[in-house]
């Protein structure tokens, strides 16, 4: 039986602005099991990084969490004290950041930086134990054993990113959040970084939440996918099901934007721009851009359509397909 590691219930995250609150994450529900490789996809500004920061309790003012629950391996994340938060980070949840260069201290050797996390979390290692642990971590992420003696500027972008992965797994956390870890890397190195995450997951059995907008990388890595639009999870399912039969028009368009070398079909872009989240569109938030928009979409919020225990989506088309409403197409865009 699968073991739940992360459970998020009815989560909202807002940012105060002079014009009003930006509703960056709205009524979000998500469950991840042990060993899941979950891909969280969406355009920039869809709320992916805000969600990742909420799990890490890193939402800073003017951001705030008005409502919701985050439970990670039995810990109520939102009620942790500041001192418990320090222990919680790295041992329960760790992050592989977007830009490894900015995350590494330029004036400390890699080994010293990894050791800082051990010291900070009360892990006492002798010099030889530390060297063994560093060598094991380097081996896991495919780096040479001398890398701990180097400074960040002596490493390439891909090596730095693999060092970040080594740091993230150094205290064997239950959940690793990789926030667009391959941005700014070339495609060959992107593949190596994703393969490294795969190896780490296999070795430690960690649950990985990979945040990104590249459907190709997601297809390569994830066993489950969540599609975010305007602060909401609009579809969740197994990667195989979603790629073979997407239920939400937004998911469909994201998949159509992937090049296909076999059929050489025309690439389709997403019309329009993501909405402002101070005053999001009424009804289905995707309706101003949806090629399948019809009468109820601009007024009524779609209900959750459950496919199975772990798969659902939000779209009025399902109610049409179930014969509950008449389809009146009012426009295609
Ligand atoms: Fe498109 Fe309507 Fe479905 Fe929203 S509810 S995704 S507008 S068809």
């Amino acid at each position: 039986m699968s073991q739940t590691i992360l459970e998020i219930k009815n989560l909202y995250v807002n940012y105060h602005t002079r014009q009003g609150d930006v509703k960056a994450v709205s009524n979000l529900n998500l469950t991840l099991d042990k060993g899941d490789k979950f891909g969280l996809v969406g355009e920039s500004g869809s709320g992916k990084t805000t969600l990742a920061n909420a799990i890490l309790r890193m939402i800073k003012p003017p951001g705030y969490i008005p409502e919701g629950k985050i439970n990670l391996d039995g810990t109520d994340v939102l009620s942790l004290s500041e001192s418990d938060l320090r222990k919680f980070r790295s041992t329960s949840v760790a992050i592989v950041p977007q830009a490894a260069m900015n995350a590494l201290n330029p004036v400390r050797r890699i080994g010293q930086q990894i050791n800082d996390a051990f010291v900070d979390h009360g892990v006492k290692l002798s010099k030889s134990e530390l060297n063994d642990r560093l060598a094991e971590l380097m081996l896991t992420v495919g780096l040479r054993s001398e890398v701990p003696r180097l400074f960040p500027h002596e490493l390439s972008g891909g090596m730095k990113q693999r060092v970040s992965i080594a740091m993230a797994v150094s205290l064997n956390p239950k959940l690793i959040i990789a926030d667009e870890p391959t941005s700014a890397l070339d495609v060959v190195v992107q593949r190596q970084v994703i393969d490294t995450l795969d190896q780490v997951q296999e070795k430690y059995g960690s649950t990985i939440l990979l945040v990104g907008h590249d459907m190709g990388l997601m297809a390569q890595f994830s066993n489950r996918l969540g599609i975010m639009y305007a602060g909401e999870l609009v579809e969740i399912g197994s990667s195989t099901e979603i790629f073979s039969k997407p239920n939400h028009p937004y998911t469909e368009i994201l998949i159509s934007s992937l090049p296909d070398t076999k059929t050489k079909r025309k690439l389709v872009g997403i019309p329009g721009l993501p909405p402002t989240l101070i005053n999001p569109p009424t009804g289905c938030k995707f309706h101003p851009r949806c090629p399948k928009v019809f009468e109820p979409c601009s007024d009524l919020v779609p209900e959750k359509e459950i496919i199975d225990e772990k798969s659902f989506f939000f779209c009025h088309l399902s109610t049409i397909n179930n014969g509950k409403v008449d389809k009146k197409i009012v426009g295609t865009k």
Side-chain angles (χ1 to χ4, degrees):
M1 211 176 110
S2 51
Q3 182 195 341
T4 298
I5 289 292
L6 176 72
E7 193 170 29
I8 300 178
K9 283 192 172 169
N10 307 328
L11 183 72
Y12 290 79
V13 185
N14 294 350
Y15 292 96
H16 275 309
T17 72
R18 281 190 194 152
Q19 290 75 34
D21 276 8
V22 174
K23 298 159 194 89
V25 170
S26 294
N27 195 19
L28 188 135
N29 292 281
L30 174 65
T31 303
L32 300 188
D33 290 337
K34 184 172 167 44
D36 261 347
K37 294 190 287 181
F38 190 87
L40 187 64
V41 202
E43 290 166 283
S44 296
S46 58
K48 308 180 300 291
T49 297
T50 296
L51 173 61
N53 286 341
I55 299 168
L56 288 152
R57 270 278 301 276
M58 281 171 53
I59 301 289
K60 302 280 177 227
Y64 69 103
I65 299 178
E67 227 181 299
K69 287 244 173 248
I70 302 175
N71 190 301
L72 178 58
D73 196 32
T75 301
D76 179 356
V77 178
L78 299 184
S79 63
L80 283 173
S81 66
E82 280 303 317
S83 65
D84 286 342
L85 256 183
R86 283 182 73 84
K87 280 186 233 147
F88 166 79
R89 293 185 186 133
S90 293
T91 51
S92 292
V93 58
I95 185 157
V96 178
Q98 214 173 102
M101 190 64 228
N102 303 335
L104 296 173
N105 185 334
V107 296
R108 279 177 75 70
R109 294 178 197 277
I110 299 302
Q112 291 172 319
Q113 298 191 46
I114 297 176
N115 189 39
D116 286 344
F118 291 139
V119 173
D120 205 42
H121 286 81
V123 179
K124 292 195 178 86
L125 299 171
S126 67
K127 198 166 177 198
S128 72
E129 284 170 334
L130 175 63
N131 288 339
D132 289 350
R133 183 78 180 112
L134 291 175
E136 185 208 330
L137 284 169
M138 293 305 112
L139 188 68
T140 305
V141 298
L143 291 174
R144 298 187 313 273
S145 55
E146 62 264 31
V147 167
R149 292 194 292 278
L150 302 179
F151 288 97
H153 73 266
E154 296 177 275
L155 306 177
S156 68
M159 289 166 84
K160 278 185 262 219
Q161 200 51 284
R162 279 190 265 172
V163 164
S164 302
I165 296 173
M167 284 180 160
V169 293
S170 61
L171 288 157
N172 206 3
K174 300 281 185 299
L175 174 68
I176 296 172
I177 298 176
D179 187 4
E180 305 208 27
T182 57
S183 58
L185 299 176
D186 67 57
V187 283
V188 175
V189 181
Q190 280 185 1
R191 173 98 199 202
Q192 289 167 352
V193 169
I194 293 297
D195 286 347
T196 306
L197 275 176
D198 234 345
Q199 286 151 19
V200 159
Q201 194 280 330
E202 218 165 89
K203 179 163 181 177
Y204 297 99
S206 340
T207 304
I208 297 187
L209 173 60
L210 174 63
V211 177
H213 51 252
D214 184 333
M215 288 297 268
L217 281 181
M218 292 297 174
Q220 185 192 329
F221 176 78
S222 318
N223 66 333
R224 291 179 67 211
L225 274 182
I227 313 294
M228 269 194 98
Y229 185 77
E232 294 174 349
L233 264 173
V234 293
E235 179 160 11
I236 287 189
S238 81
S239 305
T240 327
E241 281 165 12
I242 286 194
F243 274 97
S244 62
K245 190 183 165 297
N247 285 295
H248 196 283
Y250 181 58
T251 315
E252 221 173 293
I253 300 181
L254 285 179
I255 294 172
S256 334
S257 63
L258 272 178
D260 184 336
T261 48
K262 283 185 198 140
T263 60
K264 296 201 172 136
R265 63 179 157 68
K266 200 176 159 211
L267 293 183
V268 181
I270 307 175
L273 293 170
T276 158
L277 295 181
I278 295 178
N279 287 308
T282 53
C284 169
K285 288 181 185 169
F286 189 51
H287 87 258
R289 305 172 75 192
C290 180
K292 296 184 176 174
V293 62
F294 65 110
E295 204 164 89
C297 303
S298 56
D299 296 326
L300 298 176
V301 176
E303 283 177 18
K304 185 178 188 177
E305 188 71 21
I306 296 171
I307 302 168
D308 59 38
E309 203 192 340
K310 291 185 180 171
S311 312
F312 61 80
F313 64 98
F314 291 86
C315 175
H316 287 306
L317 282 173
S318 64
T319 52
I320 293 173
N321 295 337
N322 291 339
K324 290 181 195 163
V325 288
D326 293 331
K327 182 176 184 178
K328 292 181 193 163
I329 302 280
V330 293
T332 41
K333 298 186 179 182

